[in-house]
Amino acid sequence: MNPTNPIILVLYYSRHGATRKLAELIAQGVESVPGCDARLRTVPAVSSVAEATAPAIPPSGAPYVELADLAECAGLALGSPTRFGNMAASLKYFLDGTATDWLAGTLAGKPACVFTSTGSLHGGQESTLLSMMLPLLHHGMLVMGLPYTNPELMTTASGGSPYGATHWSGIDGDKAITEDEKRLAIALGKRLAQTAAALQGER
């Protein structure tokens, strides 16, 4: 990893692994762009028990995100499973703690995209994507989706949306990521990285 390369932060929450798989594909798309590096990060689960605390290091997967990751990134991909058509509380909790970055304009002018997975095909994929866009817009980020120049948007029979990459994981999480979902997730990561690199070149 070159310290001068633009870093694209791929930040997600995943309960059973489906959203994590999408995050890894988006990171693959990011790293297909020469000179761009992906940084995978997650957030700890929110507990209903007030005294409960998460371990400092997750038992598996990406490390927990820190506010410094936001400052260091040139672009942000934000992912969450759907919770009644909205982002998961764990991701919302982290975003609610970024007021200092909002005041400082840390993320203003940086490109961003969103991604999600759902247990049912019509389980709120697009409304979840839109819910994640709202705090990014408040941060002044340049929110981007997937254009219909990606032919998979017209052929997918599962996940995939112009608002962002999605995956229909099934109620038990037993549905594998389809080829269309895979291509769209990689394309989204690539588009985000290309945009971030172009914007950095103009600054």
Side-chain angles (χ1 to χ4, degrees):
M1 183 178 290
N2 188 325
T4 64
N5 285 354
I7 295 169
I8 308 301
L9 178 60
V10 183
L11 174 60
Y12 67 93
Y13 174 71
S14 187
R15 185 73 176 89
H16 299 292
T19 309
R20 175 182 168 182
K21 289 175 186 173
L22 272 183
E24 290 167 348
L25 288 167
I26 288 170
Q28 182 181 326
V30 167
E31 299 207 328
S32 73
V33 177
C36 287
D37 293 323
R39 179 181 291 177
L40 280 163
R41 292 292 184 268
T42 189
V43 294
V46 171
S47 173
S48 59
V49 180
E51 293 82 9
T53 57
I57 300 172
S60 63
Y64 291 135
V65 68
E66 298 177 357
L67 291 179
D69 293 313
L70 298 180
E72 294 169 6
C73 78
L76 170 66
L78 191 67
S80 171
T82 188
R83 294 291 185 266
F84 300 105
N86 207 326
M87 76 177 92
S90 299
L91 191 61
K92 177 73 163 55
Y93 182 81
F94 171 76
L95 291 172
D96 285 349
T98 61
T100 301
D101 290 282
W102 170 68
L103 286 168
T106 302
L107 294 172
K110 296 180 181 181
C113 66
V114 290
F115 58 100
T116 190
S117 61
T118 56
S120 60
L121 182 57
H122 302 290
Q125 288 188 355
E126 292 185 347
S127 62
T128 300
L129 295 175
L130 291 168
S131 79
M132 287 190 287
M133 289 180 188
L134 296 177
L136 304 182
L137 290 167
H138 277 264
H139 272 285
M141 300 198 81
L142 309 175
V143 179
M144 61 193 334
L146 282 163
Y148 277 89
T149 51
N150 293 287
E152 295 83 6
L153 284 178
M154 297 297 288
T155 60
T156 181
S158 52
S161 160
Y163 306 117
T166 67
H167 168 51
W168 175 28
S169 64
I171 297 300
D172 297 320
D174 56 352
K175 290 187 179 295
I177 292 180
T178 67
E179 281 303 309
D180 283 341
E181 292 172 337
K182 179 179 179 179
R183 290 192 190 102
L184 289 168
I186 292 170
L188 186 62
K190 182 177 181 179
R191 188 166 193 244
L192 177 64
Q194 288 173 330
T195 303
L199 288 170
Q200 279 216 333
E202 292 176 1
R203 289 175 182 157

